[in-house]
Amino acid sequence: MTLLGLNIDHVATLRNARGGAEPDPVQAALIAEENGADSIVCHLREDRRHIRDADVRRLRDSVKTSLQLEMALHQDVIAVALAIKPLEVMVVPERREEVTTEGGLDCVRHSRQLGDAIARFREAGIGVSVFMDAEAAQVAQAHALGAHTIELHTGPYCHAADAEPELLRLEAAAVQAKALGLEVHAGHGLNYRNIQQLLRRVPVSKVNIGHSVVSRSIFTGFAAAVREMKTLIEAVG
Ligand code: PXP
């Protein structure tokens, strides 16, 4: 059964738009868990544009399933992660001017920095996932550097006019990673229309989804939006 990781960043985006306390991302996390989310994901960006340090601390203390902290290889965010100790961190590339994460981390190019960070997290007992494009060299490098998990970037699949070549790439990378003993997650751009086709083809143990669920929740309510996504995932098995 593929698990659902619910990304609550955009609940914080909405909260920050007015500078107050509502809507509360922690409350969203608890509602998500009650309605089928198997883990909660949040991204502590260098510019703190949505999730803030205090949110991560409150989530760590409140989440009943597991908390996955998405982050770039910035020293100040690494320090926060080592202090707060989420169950798992997911390492992503980050550019200040980007609207959202644009591509996978280049594990070959950033090998030394990534290897150092993975070693520090492993020593602290924190699992490490690396977000990457579906490429054989990236999978092999993440494995060599000691990552526990990879998250395959599904953005190209979600935006392709012809999904088939992207599905083949994702499938090959997932099969390679599993053969190496890595856990395989997938995420970015997944929605109510494209999730089932992905799951029928690509063997992943968890999908991380945020924007489409938070968007739908405006019309259906957050609990129903999470449940609907969970139902689609369960239907594939
Ligand atoms: N996985 C990663 C690595 C991400 O950066 C994001 C977006 O923060 C997601 C998954 C969730 O993507 P979306 O919000 O498009 O569902």
Side-chain angles (χ1 to χ4, degrees):
M1 173 67 69
T2 304
L3 303 179
L4 170 61
L6 217 289
N7 180 312
I8 52 162
D9 291 348
H10 295 305
V11 178
T13 303
L14 195 54
R15 175 196 61 189
N16 298 353
R18 283 294 170 98
E22 290 182 338
D24 179 11
V26 176
Q27 190 183 355
L30 300 181
I31 293 171
E33 288 184 314
E34 280 165 16
N35 288 279
D38 300 288
S39 77
I40 300 299
V41 187
C42 68
H43 185 173
L44 187 67
R45 294 186 71 99
E46 191 194 13
D47 62 10
R48 309 298 199 267
R49 71 170 72 148
H50 35 56
I51 293 291
R52 299 169 178 152
D53 301 39
D55 295 325
V56 185
R57 250 178 248 113
R58 288 173 60 228
L59 286 164
R60 194 262 332 266
D61 293 342
S62 312
V63 161
K64 298 182 195 68
T65 54
S66 69
L67 178 65
Q68 190 184 34
L69 179 63
E70 185 176 334
M71 50 177 282
L73 290 171
H74 293 301
Q75 288 311 320
D76 91 297
V77 184
I78 291 176
V80 172
L82 287 168
I84 295 181
K85 283 194 194 295
L87 188 79
E88 189 177 54
V89 293
M90 185 218 299
V91 183
V92 299
E94 202 177 289
R95 284 196 312 120
R96 263 179 184 264
E97 59 277 23
E98 70 190 3
V99 173
T100 183
T101 312
E102 289 172 345
L105 185 72
D106 188 337
C107 307
V108 178
R109 189 159 162 224
H110 301 289
S111 184
R112 203 162 56 87
Q113 223 188 339
L114 178 61
D116 289 348
I118 290 176
R120 290 174 74 190
F121 287 127
R122 287 189 77 109
E123 204 176 307
I126 301 170
V128 185
S129 174
V130 183
F131 181 62
M132 63 175 60
D133 296 333
E135 289 168 12
Q138 297 297 332
V139 176
Q141 187 68 7
H143 175 254
L145 294 174
H148 303 87
T149 302
I150 61 162
E151 176 168 327
L152 295 172
H153 185 6
T154 48
Y157 156 70
C158 296
H159 299 124
D162 175 10
E164 185 57 26
E166 298 302 333
L167 285 167
L168 286 170
R169 271 159 39 90
L170 289 163
E171 197 175 4
V175 168
Q176 177 196 358
K178 279 173 73 122
L180 290 169
L182 292 164
E183 190 161 334
V184 186
H185 299 171
H188 211 284
L190 294 171
N191 62 33
Y192 296 83
R193 294 176 305 282
N194 60 29
I195 183 68
Q196 291 193 318
Q197 184 184 35
L198 177 90
L199 295 181
R200 284 194 201 100
R201 292 285 299 278
V202 185
V204 294
S205 58
K206 185 163 85 114
V207 282
N208 289 326
I209 306 179
H211 190 265
S212 62
V213 175
V214 175
S215 300
R216 180 160 299 205
S217 76
I218 289 173
F219 304 108
T220 67
F222 193 61
V226 175
R227 268 202 311 277
E228 197 179 334
M229 183 57 80
K230 179 74 172 181
T231 302
L232 290 174
I233 293 169
E234 281 180 337
V236 179

